[in-house]
């Protein structure tokens, strides 16, 4: 049946003579492992095309959905391996292409009549780079978007066509909603079409000048045939590389850094294969940057393209020295510049800290996405709505000039002269024990830098409260922590009686309720209400407007109102969502995976 189908197909397209010519192809110089690089480049292109098509089935090219769709792809083993092979296959393609071109250069494989084979092969190098440039930002990560911004700025400096090239890349004058649409079209339609056309010419020329030309003749000696001596080598090299890609994709996957967010500082760094250009830019400034970014690469590409005609004018011995020198200088320059860039970045402490922070944020974003917390606004809101991420940033900006936030070891946000209490562990029994300690209440950790240092509370703690038993103090601390309902608080067996005892003390008109209101006991006006003390709502209301009668009223205090106007009025310093993030962070109330989720 297969034979009949083959006959049917051969009658219509005549493929058998072509295959027969391939089978009859000889190896005048014998088989070689190095000669497998050309086949490897071809099959890596096929791997990239196949995995790319598979990724297209799930990928969504918009800033709202791109990161989430890639995260979804990563959520299955098959998707993770496909994306990993696609990502690392690009890196392998760069290496294979450079090695293949270097081999062809050394053996002068471009000589007549093979000039078009050489030219179309050389043109694959910038096209592969274009694939990478248009593909990296498609995930809508912080690093990918930063890279395309830098690369589009470089392209925009091209005399004459610069602005047009940038608009083709970005879909406008800056990164926007159309950027991913343009890049996706370039990456998945235009560039593959150009590469396909080049491959048609490339392999057509190979068939014409290397396959048909090496069909055995009756008078020829008997050199080894291409099949199986070279074909098996090609296949083994491909299997090793492909197996390595699959194994690495399974082990490490492709990177998925944090979603792009212009509010988060980021220092862009290009991929390793263009680091030499990035490093070369450092030695030029202003309009001279065109030299390393465009003039030198264009001259290098032009030199490679016209190399067959230069070589034809040189004696063979001079040509070999010229080609060897070209290879050493070219690859040596790439290696030195790349090494300098890597070494400089490794010694840049600020960059290392920023990259470490970026990795932390990326891991946090993936954790939140794994929990299904991506909102309709897209992945950009994942970290913006995360108390663990935004809480410390907002606290440092709006609260950090008065309040410290340091643990017992001193780690965290420290201040030389705090004007408010250290809020690390606020509402916990541990924090409250210190507040009720006569030796601590007027230290900088509590009231030391505040108007309360000489207030009634400090006087009471240093006076009457100092006569309380340790059990009574512990009971009040436990009762107040129970009011806070902190997410990390866990009922301790045997403490319920103490909590009830503490509540009685809090409601005692002769003790706490002299000044504080606690449910039905006491009244407002002398001190903050202790009903629901340190709970989320209590803290929200306090931060919004500490001047309310429930808190300080007309009492002396130096805490500003961050949202005294109801709703998200522009008159408020902070939105209620931002205040909620600060409060949740102080209460350590953020998403944590359960043991089952881990």
């Amino acid at each position: 049946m297969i034979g009949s189908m083959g006959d049917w197909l051969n009658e219509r397209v005549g493929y058998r003579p072509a295959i027969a010519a391939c089978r009859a192809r000889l190896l005048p110089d014998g088989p070689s492992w190095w000669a497998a690089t050309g086949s490897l480049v071809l099959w890596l292109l096929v791997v990239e095309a196949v995995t790319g098509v598979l990724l297209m089935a799930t990928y969504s090219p918009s800033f709202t959905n791109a990161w989430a769709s890639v995260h979804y792809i990563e959520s299955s083993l098959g998707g993770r391996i496909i994306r990993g092979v696609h990502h690392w296959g690009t890196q392998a393609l760069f290496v294979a292409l450079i090695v293949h071109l270097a081999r062809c250069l050394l053996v002068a494989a471009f000589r007549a009549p093979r000039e078009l084979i050489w030219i179309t092969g050389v043109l694959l190098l910038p096209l592969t780079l274009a694939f990478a440039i248009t593909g990296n930002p498609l995930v809508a990560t912080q690093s990918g978007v930063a890279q395309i911004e830098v690369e589009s700025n470089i392209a925009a400096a091209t005399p004459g066509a610069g602005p047009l090239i940038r608009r083709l890349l970005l879909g406008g004058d800056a990164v926007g909603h159309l950027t991913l649409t343009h890049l996706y079209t370039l990456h998945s339609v235009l560039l593959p079409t150009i590469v396909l056309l080049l491959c048609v010419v490339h392999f057509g020329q190979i068939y014409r000048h290397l396959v048909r030309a090496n069909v055995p003749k009756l008078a020829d000696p008997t050199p080894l045939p291409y099949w199986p001596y070279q074909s098996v080598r090609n296949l083994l090299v491909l299997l090793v590389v492909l197996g390595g890609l699959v194994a690495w994709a399974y082990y490490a996957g492709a990177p998925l850094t944090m979603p792009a967010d212009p509010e988060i500082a980021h220092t862009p760094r290009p991929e390793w294969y263009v680091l030499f250009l990035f490093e070369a830019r450092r030695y030029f400034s202003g309009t001279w940057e065109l030299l390393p970014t465009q003039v030198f690469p264009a001259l290098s590409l032009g030199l490679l393209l016209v190399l067959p005609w230069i070589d034809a004018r040189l004696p063979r011995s001079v040509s070999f020295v010229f080609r060897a020198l070209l290879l050493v200088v070219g690859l040596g320059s790439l290696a030195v510049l790349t090494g300098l860039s890597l070494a400089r970045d490794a010694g840049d402490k600020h960059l290392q800290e920023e990259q470490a922070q970026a990795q932390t944020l990326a891991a946090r974003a993936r954790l939140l996405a794994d929990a299904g917390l991506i909102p309709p606004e897209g992945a950009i809101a994942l970290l913006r709505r995360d108390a663990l991420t935004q809480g410390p940033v907002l606290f440092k900006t709006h609260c950090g000039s008065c309040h410290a936030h340091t643990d017992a070891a001193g780690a965290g946000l420290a201040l030389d002269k705090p004007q408010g209490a250290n809020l690390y562990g606020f509402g916990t029994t541990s924090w409250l024990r210190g507040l009720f300690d006569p030796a601590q209440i007027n230290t900088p950790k509590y009231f030391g830098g505040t108007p309360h240092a000489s207030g009634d509370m400090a006087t009471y703690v240093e006076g009457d409260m100092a006569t309380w038993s340790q059990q009574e103090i512990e009971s009040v601390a436990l009762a107040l922590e129970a009011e806070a309902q902190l997410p990390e608080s866990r009922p301790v067996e045997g403490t319920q009686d103490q909590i009830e005892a503490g509540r009685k003390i809090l409601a005692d008109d002769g003790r706490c309720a002299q000044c504080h209101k606690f449910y039905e006991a006491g009244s407002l006006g002398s001190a903050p209400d202790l009903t629901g003390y340190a709970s989320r709502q209590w803290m929200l209301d306090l931060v919004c407007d500490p001047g309310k009668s429930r808190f300080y009223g007309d009492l002396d205090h130096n805490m500003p109102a961050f949202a005294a106007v109801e709703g998200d009025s522009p008159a408020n310093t902070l939105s209620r969502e931002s205040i909620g993030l600060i409060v949740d962070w102080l209460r350590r109330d953020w998403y944590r995976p359960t043991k089952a989720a881990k």
Side-chain angles (χ1 to χ4, degrees):
M1 181 177 179
I2 294 176
S4 300
M5 290 177 64
D7 293 341
W8 181 88
L9 187 61
N10 184 56
E11 289 176 3
R12 284 150 184 83
V13 300
Y15 72 93
R16 279 179 176 158
I19 290 182
C22 292
R23 284 178 174 173
R25 180 182 176 184
L26 297 177
L27 297 167
D29 300 322
S32 166
W33 290 104
W34 282 109
T37 53
S39 167
L40 181 62
V41 169
L42 166 65
W43 287 109
L44 283 177
L45 282 171
V46 173
V47 167
E48 290 297 282
V50 171
T51 53
V53 169
L54 292 174
L55 292 173
M56 289 168 67
T58 310
Y59 172 73
S60 177
S62 75
F63 271 113
T64 303
N65 300 320
W67 193 95
S69 66
V70 174
H71 176 267
Y72 178 76
I73 291 171
E74 289 278 329
S75 64
S76 68
L77 179 60
R80 173 185 167 87
I81 290 178
I82 290 171
R83 180 169 176 261
V85 169
H86 190 75
H87 174 82
W88 297 112
T90 305
Q91 330 281 318
L93 182 57
F94 267 113
V95 175
L97 193 52
I98 289 173
V99 172
H100 180 59
L101 289 176
R103 184 185 70 82
C104 292
L105 181 67
L106 277 180
V107 301
F110 45 73
R111 284 176 177 158
R114 306 170 184 170
E115 294 93 333
L116 287 180
I117 300 176
W118 169 256
I119 289 173
T120 49
V122 168
L123 289 176
L124 277 180
L125 194 58
L127 285 170
T128 303
L129 181 61
F131 266 118
I133 289 174
T134 54
N136 288 333
L138 291 181
V139 188
T141 58
Q142 187 82 336
S143 56
V145 172
Q147 284 174 14
I148 195 62
E149 285 178 335
V150 173
E151 288 155 357
S152 65
N153 287 336
I154 293 174
T158 305
L164 176 62
I165 296 173
R166 179 161 65 179
R167 290 187 71 83
L168 282 174
L169 284 173
L170 304 184
D173 295 328
V175 173
H177 293 296
L178 289 178
T179 299
L180 290 192
T181 305
H182 273 234
L183 293 175
Y184 186 58
T185 304
L186 292 171
H187 187 77
S188 59
V189 179
L190 184 60
L191 289 174
T193 303
I194 296 174
V195 169
L196 182 62
L197 292 174
L198 275 182
C199 286
V200 168
V201 176
H202 188 81
F203 292 105
Q205 289 290 299
I206 287 177
Y207 180 76
R208 178 182 178 86
H209 299 298
L210 295 180
V211 176
R212 286 201 315 187
N214 285 327
V215 172
K217 300 179 177 60
L218 293 176
D220 280 346
T222 55
L224 294 174
Y226 196 90
W227 168 265
Y229 294 95
Q230 186 60 48
S231 300
V232 169
R233 282 174 168 77
N234 294 349
L235 181 62
L236 289 176
V237 170
L238 174 64
L239 290 177
V240 169
V241 172
L242 193 56
L245 286 175
V246 172
W248 187 246
Y250 174 78
Y251 173 74
L256 180 59
T257 57
M258 64 177 169
D261 187 344
E263 293 184 0
I264 297 177
H266 179 75
T267 304
R269 282 292 180 274
E271 297 291 336
W272 63 268
Y273 38 80
V274 285
L275 267 180
F276 69 98
L277 286 177
F278 178 77
E279 178 65 20
R281 287 181 64 196
R282 299 181 62 86
Y283 306 101
F284 300 87
S285 60
T287 56
W288 291 102
E289 277 194 9
L290 281 175
L291 289 177
T293 57
Q294 299 188 35
V295 175
F296 292 161
L299 290 176
S300 300
L301 181 64
L303 177 60
L304 290 176
L305 291 176
V306 300
L307 193 59
W309 292 274
I310 296 176
D311 173 80
R313 295 175 178 274
L314 298 175
R316 291 299 173 96
S317 59
V318 175
S319 171
F320 178 77
V321 173
F322 174 69
R323 285 181 278 119
L325 192 62
L326 197 62
L327 195 61
V328 170
V329 172
L331 294 182
S333 300
L334 297 185
V336 169
L337 289 171
T338 302
L340 285 173
S341 182
L342 291 173
R344 181 174 289 102
D345 284 354
D348 188 335
K349 185 179 178 181
H350 174 73
L351 179 66
Q352 296 300 316
E353 291 176 351
E354 186 180 286
Q355 291 180 341
Q357 175 66 10
Q359 291 180 1
T360 301
L361 293 176
R364 181 67 181 167
R366 292 194 295 271
L367 183 70
L368 296 171
D370 289 342
L373 299 178
I374 300 178
E377 302 93 298
I380 190 173
L382 271 177
L383 296 177
R384 286 184 176 183
R385 291 184 178 178
D386 178 40
L388 180 60
T389 304
Q390 293 298 328
V393 177
L394 292 167
F395 180 87
K396 183 176 181 179
T397 303
H398 299 283
C399 314
S401 60
C402 296
H403 293 281
H405 190 271
T406 55
D407 60 16
L413 177 63
L415 295 177
D416 292 334
K417 295 181 179 179
Q419 300 175 51
N422 181 348
L423 296 182
Y424 182 87
F426 178 73
T428 64
T429 304
S430 175
W431 191 89
L432 290 162
R433 288 192 195 109
L435 178 68
F436 300 151
D437 184 352
Q440 293 191 53
I441 189 167
N442 272 335
T443 64
K445 183 177 179 182
Y446 292 100
F447 289 176
T450 74
H452 308 304
S454 56
D456 293 340
M457 179 67 185
T459 302
Y460 187 80
V461 168
E462 292 173 335
D464 293 8
M465 204 168 183
T467 64
W468 291 14
S469 68
Q470 193 59 41
Q471 185 176 4
E472 289 177 317
I473 293 174
E474 187 70 9
S475 297
V476 172
L478 286 169
L480 288 174
E481 186 182 273
E483 290 293 307
Q485 298 182 0
L486 299 170
E488 291 187 337
S489 295
R490 296 288 182 273
V492 179
E493 187 176 353
T495 58
Q496 191 56 44
D497 290 344
Q498 272 189 287
I499 292 174
E500 291 302 324
R503 284 175 173 157
K504 289 179 180 177
I505 296 174
L506 289 168
D508 187 344
D509 290 341
R511 293 185 171 184
C512 300
Q514 287 185 77
C515 302
H516 296 279
K517 190 176 187 302
F518 186 67
Y519 293 97
E520 301 303 324
S523 59
L524 300 175
S526 301
D529 184 2
L530 297 182
T531 308
Y533 172 81
S535 64
R536 187 175 195 273
Q537 190 60 52
W538 188 93
M539 292 179 69
L540 279 172
D541 293 341
L542 174 68
V543 177
C544 283
D545 189 1
K548 285 185 174 180
S549 59
R550 184 184 173 194
F551 300 106
Y552 294 113
D554 295 330
L555 301 175
D556 186 20
H557 70 91
N558 55 9
M559 182 173 172
F562 287 93
V565 181
E566 290 295 328
D568 282 332
S569 167
N572 293 330
T573 304
L574 283 171
S575 68
R576 278 172 167 69
E577 182 181 17
S578 296
I579 294 173
L581 290 169
I582 295 173
V583 168
D584 289 341
W585 177 67
L586 289 173
R587 289 168 45 80
R588 300 180 61 80
D589 189 2
W590 54 73
Y591 171 75
R592 298 172 178 81
T594 62
K595 289 183 179 179
K598 287 179 180 178

